[in-house]
Amino acid sequence: PRTRVITVAAIVGAAYAVLTMALAPISYGPVQFRISEALCVLPLLFPYTSIGLFVGCLVANLLSPVGIMDIVFGSLATLGAELCVAWIGASARRAGVLPGWKDRILACLMPVLWNGVIVGAMLAWAYTPDTFWSGFAVIGGQVALGEAVVLFLLGLPLIALLPRLRKSPAVV
């Protein structure tokens, strides 16, 4: 089982990095829609994917026009969000039940909040250092909005779909 956990975490991280880099024009900058962020709901059901998502984000951020700041702060924002998502799902996993709608919505909100604040601040510092606070309000809002669109349009349905896939004979 440990090999499977590491393998799944690595595959999730690779998927995050590839999706982000393949869709680079919409994945980086003050206005971004990282389609890969839909995967950030996975720790709700599979907590070990948190590390894979962190590493995938770190790898993807190597291409960021913001450079080392995004590699460090953007990746740490993802890690913080993913640990919160895993924590939200912990009680349901212990009880052997699927997370309820409240937990699913909270799981989608974690990356929105973490990235809106941390990535928003980092991008405001990079792009509007002279007007940081007003830049942060705008850019943080743009980042949070992009996250919310991706997570609620793609991530929320993914949470509902995953338990059905686990029961499918095609999925090992």
Side-chain angles (χ1 to χ4, degrees):
R2 184 159 174 82
T3 303
R4 181 180 287 193
V5 164
I6 293 169
T7 303
V8 169
I11 290 169
V12 167
Y16 183 100
V18 167
L19 270 170
T20 302
M21 292 186 284
L23 299 170
I26 62 170
S27 296
Y28 301 99
V31 178
Q32 53 183 257
F33 290 93
R34 282 196 180 188
I35 303 302
S36 54
E37 287 287 307
L39 299 173
C40 290
V41 299
L42 293 176
L44 188 67
L45 301 171
F46 313 103
Y48 49 86
T49 59
S50 297
I51 298 302
L53 288 162
F54 167 67
V55 173
C57 182
L58 192 140
V59 169
N61 286 345
L62 292 173
L63 294 183
S64 172
V66 181
I68 192 70
M69 282 186 2
D70 204 6
I71 294 167
V72 173
F73 295 110
S75 302
L76 287 174
T78 294
L79 180 61
E82 298 321 306
L83 293 175
C84 287
V85 171
W87 180 79
I88 290 166
S91 62
R93 287 191 307 274
R94 276 193 303 274
V97 298
L98 293 174
W101 279 103
K102 182 183 88 175
D103 291 338
R104 294 175 189 198
I105 290 169
L106 281 173
C108 289
L109 283 174
M110 288 301 106
V112 173
L113 296 172
W114 281 81
N115 286 299
V117 173
I118 295 173
V119 174
M122 178 208 50
L123 292 175
W125 183 261
Y127 291 113
T128 61
D130 294 337
T131 56
F132 173 78
W133 289 108
S134 59
F136 172 59
V138 171
I139 294 172
Q142 290 171 332
V143 170
L145 179 61
E147 288 281 324
V149 168
V150 169
L151 281 148
F152 285 97
L153 290 183
L154 300 175
L156 200 55
L158 182 61
I159 295 171
L161 180 66
L162 282 172
R164 292 187 194 134
L165 287 176
R166 288 178 86 182
K167 294 177 184 174
S168 168
V171 177
V172 181

